[in-house]
Amino acid sequence: MPTTIATPETKRAPAAEKDFLPLQGTDYVEFYVGNAKQAAHFYKTAFGFHSLAYSGPETGTKGRASYAICQNKITFVLTTPIRSNHPVAEHHHKHGDGVKVLALTVDDATSAWEETTKRGGKSYLEPKRLSDEDGDVVMSGIHTYGEVVHLFIERQNYHGPFMPGFRKWESNYNPPGTGLQHVDHCVGNVGWGQMNPWVKFYEDVMGFRNILTFDDKDISTEYSALMSKVMSNGNGFVKFPINEPAEGKKKSQVEEYLEFYDGEGVQHIAMATNNIIETVTDLQKRGVEFLHIPSTYYDTLLDRVGHIDEELNALKGLGILVDRDDEGYLLQIFSKPVEDRPTLFYEIIQRKGAKSFGKGNFKALFEAIEREQAARGNL
Ligand code: FE2
């Protein structure tokens, strides 16, 4: 007799399935910006990125210029239009500086494209082989929320600085790094009622799992609220939390983002460090601005999180937040937006066992964001 009740066998079955989209991690993040030359200088000066590669008219690329910069396993590409009729110019006019590409490293970009498009992913780029004297890169891509795309990058047969079309960027200006190691997670802001459809997209099209859910009770202050679900790929190397606004007495920070970005997009990128005190001390000296956390946050911190290795006063002096889960604790801090529109910002995170996202800090964090929103007249 057929039955609709799931047996333990059928419940276990999906976990045993082969991962149809094995990902090695974040390959690079590409931003469309108004002035890539100056943006690259900012990321080198303020965040400690290094010059990696350049693509532009001098390398045979028409209409735009791109600077690839890196720090340990993090690669950013800053791309700008050099003519007003270039599609990148339209993107920049609408959104300001923002993330266009979240690129993921794969062993097989053709299979990644076939597996995701046959599950309903909308193609952005059919598998394409790029070659130069340093080897081959195969890339393909699909659309995700807003105008953001995922590119699948297959580069095991490539030995150049970045990829074909780019040449090594030698610079006389090489400030030291700040200890940023890898991309921990990238968060998307989507419109009202759009979180669950995008959760389903990551489940169905990319084989991700929803590992954590925060409702508007978890993420609310007296004034504003949002909801969030964290999506993770099979091996946990790639995590994409998805936020949507929720009703509150005043305007949600996600609504403010959607208004000023003029659509859905990437809200923040979290970069991991092995020593958050050293990294944040350095970033502050170099001019990175962080949200201010009131000193009262630290009065009850140790009662909440228990023993931590770091000096409380050092954390308090820098405004670093701490949270604990069953597996350990994490330290995190959030920058102010890095452009004049209140859109993209950065998180610096150090994980000491914890795999969560700092739920215990949401209230303090969102109150800090609200003070900034109020100062902009957008609360
Ligand atoms: Fe985050």
Side-chain angles (χ1 to χ4, degrees), residues 30-33 55-57 60-66 79-94 100 124 147:
E30 182 171 8
F31 304 75
Y32 283 177
V33 301
S55 160
T61 303
K62 297 259 185 294
R64 63 183 172 83
S66 297
T79 293
T80 198
I82 56 176
R83 293 226 187 230
S84 62
N85 60 357
H86 194 276
V88 176
E90 250 171 71
H91 190 281
H92 183 259
H93 175 72
K94 187 172 168 68
K100 173 64 184 178
Y124 171 72
E147 290 196 61

Side-chain angles (χ1 to χ4, degrees), residues 33-45 67 78 80 97:
V33 301
N35 187 332
K37 182 178 279 206
Q38 290 188 7
H41 195 285
F42 168 78
Y43 281 103
K44 286 169 68 173
T45 303
Y67 295 78
L78 301 153
T80 198
D97 288 5

